[in-house]
Amino acid sequence: MEMHQLRYFAAIVDEGTFTAAAHRLHVSQSGISTQVAKLEAELGQRLLDRSSRHIRLTPAGEAVLPLAKNALAAFEAIKHTAGEFADAVRGRVRLGMIMGCSIPAFLDTVADLGRTHPDIEVSLHEGYSDDLQAQVLAGSLDLALIGYSGTVAQGLEASVVVDEPVAAAVPAGHPLDRPDLRLGDLRGEKILCLSPGTGIRAAYEDSCRRLGLDPRVDIDASSPVTVLRLAERGAGVAVLSASSTRGADLRTVPLTDAATHARLGLITRRGQHPPAAQLLRTRLLVALEAG
């Protein structure tokens, strides 16, 4: 198994076709196809379903993909760590962060970089996901952590670190404190959710529209903590991702028909990136994917 085979496999999944992946990686389509076939032969499993126009993952591919991306991120981290001993990495990194972000791994990594690399200056800008995507595209930010549903804007690359459906969070003993719920069960309840422009809000609204439901939100806030604290006080039903409800004094109930997932991803523009920005990106990916 070779690292370039894993890279080709991940690129095909990200781009949707062998042709697009080959164009992105500047290699021949036949070369990518051959190397992925060799990878599948070595693993003894088909990773990609080639029977339709757009490539799809097989069950084995679904299981292997996150491991492949972790391996690629670790490989990049090793290269950059070794490179730090050969040449000092310096420069300014303009980093964007979704409103209300309180992920310890993200904040720890940003803080640690300033201590380990005093020649790197990190500026941090907080904003909504749509605005952050526009700023990365325009070049005013080097990279950003955003929440979104579906896909990111054309011209951006996204490394997904969280991909999960929305869920409801209610106090114990609430009428909706059940093993699972459907979005229609929330009718008549006050809905608490994140502000427009966040991945969770987009996933909730899109899931409702797919079912012909009104994606009403009675109270919104930029921070999941605010939404959870209001729900704990009986202000309504919190609609968030399951991972963002951890630690709250609430019951998290799956919404089984919420078809659209909320994603958290680190985005950059396609192409080459300054060494300082690439170093921070690699460290953030390793930290976020580790937990």
Side-chain angles (χ1 to χ4, degrees), residues 160-211:
V160 181
V161 293
V162 174
D163 185 343
E164 58 183 339
V166 292
V170 296
H174 189 280
L176 297 183
D177 181 8
R178 308 173 191 168
D180 56 65
L181 294 167
R182 299 177 69 82
L183 283 162
D185 296 330
L186 304 185
R187 271 183 289 217
E189 301 288 341
K190 284 195 172 182
I191 304 300
L192 319 176
C193 195
L194 295 185
S195 303
T198 59
I200 290 172
R201 179 66 171 266
Y204 164 67
E205 291 181 344
D206 184 68
S207 292
C208 285
R209 292 190 182 103
R210 287 170 181 258
L211 296 168

Side-chain angles (χ1 to χ4, degrees), residues 129-141:
S129 295
D130 291 346
D131 294 334
L132 294 175
Q133 290 192 68
Q135 290 178 65
V136 173
L137 275 173
S140 55
L141 291 176

Side-chain angles (χ1 to χ4, degrees), residues 228-246:
L228 292 170
R229 296 296 173 263
L230 287 169
E232 288 173 345
R233 288 162 174 76
V237 176
V239 177
L240 295 166
S241 62
S243 62
S244 63
T245 66
R246 292 173 189 155

